[in-house]
Amino acid sequence: MAFKETEDSVSEHNSMLRVACYTLGCKVNGYESQAMLEQFERAGCQVVSSEEEADVYLVNTCTVTHIAAHKSRQMLHRMRTRNPLALIVACGCYVDQNIEASQSLDGLADLIISNRDKEHIVKKVFERLQKDPVLPAEEEGFFISDAGSHTRAFLKVQDGCRQFCSYCIIPYVRGPLKSKPLSEAVQEARTLAKNGIREIVLTGIHLSSYGRDLEDHPSLPDLILALDAIDGLERIRLGSLEVGLITDEYIEAVKKSTKLCPHYHLSLQSGAAATLKAMNRRYTPEEFKLAADKLRGAFPDVALTTDVIVGFPGETEQDFEESARFIKEIGFADLHVFPYSARGGTAAARRTDLFVDDGTKRSRSEAMIAIAKESELSFARQFVGQTLDVLIEQPIGDDSVWEGYTANYLRVRVALPEGPHQNTLVPVQIHSVVSAGKGTYLMGVYHAGE
């Protein structure tokens, strides 16, 4: 092992520990990384960047694709190189997948923490370092209180998934449904707002199932409306949702919110009926379109975004063309395209006879990305000439131009007067759309009013 547990090193580590974390994967992982680091801070440790030398390196891994798994191993190796004497801690979904498969991490980590044990990471790290726990019981909670230098904070309110889509490993590494009690979620959001956060993004592994496992069965709309009453909170944004959530009853409930952003990331994966069935997705293209139409009818400026997999086992050229036509018809504001990645242990990975070759997956990805680009531009152009409220996030270049996002998640750049503007809402009159290497953004002028 790289961490040398000599008498001198133990003595050294009984002083303030420097702890760093590198995060891969989804927004849930991002939230959990911050919650782990805040727990170390409450224990008296010093949090440093993963680019700095630290005594403890956490690598919060991902395994949703083979590329994510490869990067997870790369980062474990990189942290070992950064400080050979450090304690390397591996946690996250790649770790859980390897634990369940009884596979070794080949000495890349000194300590392995499963997803279910992230809440106890300080205790486990201190035990490994032969240190006494320093967190009082009331400080052991798993929560965040700020978002660092960011203007929006992710609030994890749900974990686990029981959908078992045929391509997805996540139900196997995240376990059963587990929701955060509504009162705890509201208290955490209230703390974030008190500390200056103006936008909260609700996130989870299967956010649509929020509350089903709790005794009083609160719904996602119940949570949204409870958060709506928090002073200082300006926006509530939702993470990825399933089509089945979008009912007339849901829309009637959430329309009472004054802070819910008109931005819905509806998980699609394919626009072809046969492919959706093979994926074990629980809707048809027609049902997806009905949900999209309901949202557009209720929220005229709503941005619909999604994820799409190309080259799924058995996807024919006809299936791909059907999917492409459907995606053009819906007209998404943004579209993330992924070539299919086989994950060991899933039903789809066993259909090797139906695998699509890499060249075909690559060409289909390129074609779908082109569709996504045009769809993104088309959605953005309809806002030229309008004045939109933009939550400013960061300066661009010489600090005279700032960047932020509208409620429906359009990226906007605007020149502002001298002074601090981060985390402020400003009205911007949009005059043009720019398509750049890193996506599309709107340009506008500060509209101070009369």
Side-chain angles (χ1 to χ4, degrees):
M1 291 184 180
F3 180 73
K4 307 294 176 58
E5 294 182 277
T6 64
E7 183 176 339
D8 287 343
S9 65
V10 171
S11 174
E12 176 186 345
H13 282 71
N14 278 333
S15 61
M16 181 178 285
L17 286 172
R18 294 164 298 168
V19 181
C21 182
Y22 189 92
T23 306
L24 298 104
C26 66
K27 295 178 178 66
V28 171
N29 254 14
Y31 171 93
E32 291 172 344
S33 289
Q34 183 163 346
M36 288 188 289
L37 289 176
E38 285 201 20
Q39 198 175 81
F40 275 104
E41 284 185 323
R42 295 195 299 274
C45 301
Q46 178 185 2
V47 171
V48 299
S49 164
S50 61
E51 298 299 316
E52 299 178 54
E53 185 174 303
D55 305 303
V56 178
Y57 287 106
L58 315 177
V59 179
N60 200 357
T61 64
C62 177
T63 193
V64 71
T65 66
H66 73 278
I67 293 174
H70 177 69
K71 286 183 177 178
S72 295
R73 293 180 66 88
Q74 274 188 326
M75 291 314 303
L76 286 165
H77 178 73
R78 186 176 299 176
M79 296 303 106
R80 172 76 77 210
T81 303
R82 189 151 291 154
N83 182 4
L85 298 180
L87 182 75
I88 309 299
V89 182
C91 57
C93 292
Y94 175 73
V95 167
D96 274 57
Q97 184 187 15
N98 280 273
I99 289 174
E100 293 198 3
S102 299
Q103 296 172 359
S104 169
L105 288 177
D106 301 323
L108 288 173
D110 302 311
L111 180 63
I112 293 174
I113 303 291
S114 68
N115 277 318
R116 65 180 176 272
D117 282 335
K118 284 178 177 176
E119 297 183 15
H120 311 293
I121 192 164
V122 170
K123 178 181 178 182
K124 290 185 174 295
V125 166
F126 279 22
E127 286 175 350
R128 180 64 178 79
L129 296 175
Q130 299 179 7
K131 293 171 65 70
D132 293 328
V134 297
L135 278 172
E138 64 271 17
E139 292 295 324
E140 290 182 2
F142 203 64
F143 56 85
I144 66 172
S145 58
D146 64 52
S149 61
H150 301 289
T151 58
R152 76 170 68 94
F154 294 105
L155 176 55
K156 176 190 165 188
V157 297
Q158 186 277 332
D159 204 343
C161 181
R162 298 287 86 184
Q163 297 297 102
F164 291 100
C165 299
S166 64
Y167 55 83
C168 187
I169 194 66
I170 298 305
Y172 302 95
V173 297
R174 279 286 177 174
L177 301 179
K178 183 180 180 182
S179 300
K180 180 170 290 187
L182 191 147
S183 60
E184 291 183 18
V186 170
Q187 181 55 49
E188 188 169 354
R190 187 175 289 118
T191 299
L192 289 165
K194 183 179 179 181
N195 290 336
I197 295 299
R198 305 187 73 174
E199 178 178 318
I200 283 176
V201 184
L202 298 181
T203 189
I205 296 299
H206 192 252
L207 184 60
S208 297
S209 66
Y210 173 78
R212 292 179 191 172
D213 57 304
L214 297 175
E215 186 175 355
D216 52 347
H217 302 299
S219 66
L220 186 59
D222 291 334
L223 175 59
I224 291 167
L225 294 176
L227 297 178
D228 212 68
I230 295 176
D231 291 338
L233 185 62
E234 299 281 352
R235 292 178 177 177
I236 304 165
R237 197 178 296 280
L238 300 176
S240 181
L241 298 175
E242 294 292 320
V243 171
L245 179 72
I246 310 303
T247 62
D248 291 336
E249 292 75 19
Y250 168 84
I251 288 175
E252 182 180 355
V254 300
K255 284 191 77 172
K256 299 172 186 175
S257 170
T258 61
K259 299 176 181 179
L260 182 63
C261 292
H263 171 211
Y264 279 82
H265 189 90
L266 295 181
S267 184
L268 175 61
Q269 307 306 351
S270 177
T275 305
L276 286 175
K277 185 175 181 180
M279 288 176 165
N280 196 33
R281 301 294 288 176
R282 304 180 186 194
Y283 51 85
T284 64
E286 292 75 19
E287 289 168 336
F288 188 99
K289 186 176 185 306
L290 180 61
D293 289 344
K294 285 180 183 292
L295 289 171
R296 286 189 167 131
F299 310 105
D301 290 335
V302 68
L304 300 181
T305 60
T306 198
D307 302 312
V308 172
I309 295 172
V310 298
F312 185 78
E315 182 189 64
T316 65
E317 191 62 30
Q318 182 179 351
D319 293 331
F320 173 73
E321 290 173 359
E322 180 184 342
S323 184
R325 285 194 301 271
F326 182 78
I327 287 163
K328 287 180 181 178
E329 179 184 3
I330 296 296
F332 292 100
D334 194 17
L335 178 69
H336 300 146
V337 180
F338 300 92
Y340 169 73
S341 176
R343 310 312 297 139
T346 62
R350 294 192 287 271
R351 300 306 308 270
T352 55
D353 57 319
L354 298 176
F355 276 12
V356 177
D357 66 87
D358 289 344
T360 300
K361 285 196 288 188
R362 185 163 50 250
S363 64
R364 290 178 184 176
S365 292
E366 291 170 354
M368 196 66 81
I369 289 170
I371 293 171
K373 191 71 172 177
E374 183 52 43
S375 183
E376 183 181 8
L377 284 168
S378 178
F379 180 77
R381 286 173 182 141
Q382 65 184 298
F383 295 94
V384 173
Q386 296 189 30
T387 298
L388 307 175
D389 286 334
V390 178
L391 182 58
I392 299 298
E393 292 197 352
Q394 61 187 356
I396 300 295
D398 62 1
D399 291 2
S400 64
V401 176
W402 291 74
E403 183 176 88
Y405 285 84
T406 64
N408 58 357
Y409 211 59
L410 290 164
R411 186 161 57 118
V412 177
R413 290 182 178 178
V414 59
L416 293 174
E418 185 178 351
H421 297 288
Q422 188 178 34
N423 208 27
T424 61
L425 273 168
V426 300
V428 179
Q429 188 170 39
I430 306 301
H431 60 65
S432 60
V433 179
V434 177
S435 179
K438 293 186 177 180
T440 298
Y441 60 88
L442 303 177
M443 289 294 297
V445 294
Y446 175 51
H447 188 71
E450 299 298 330

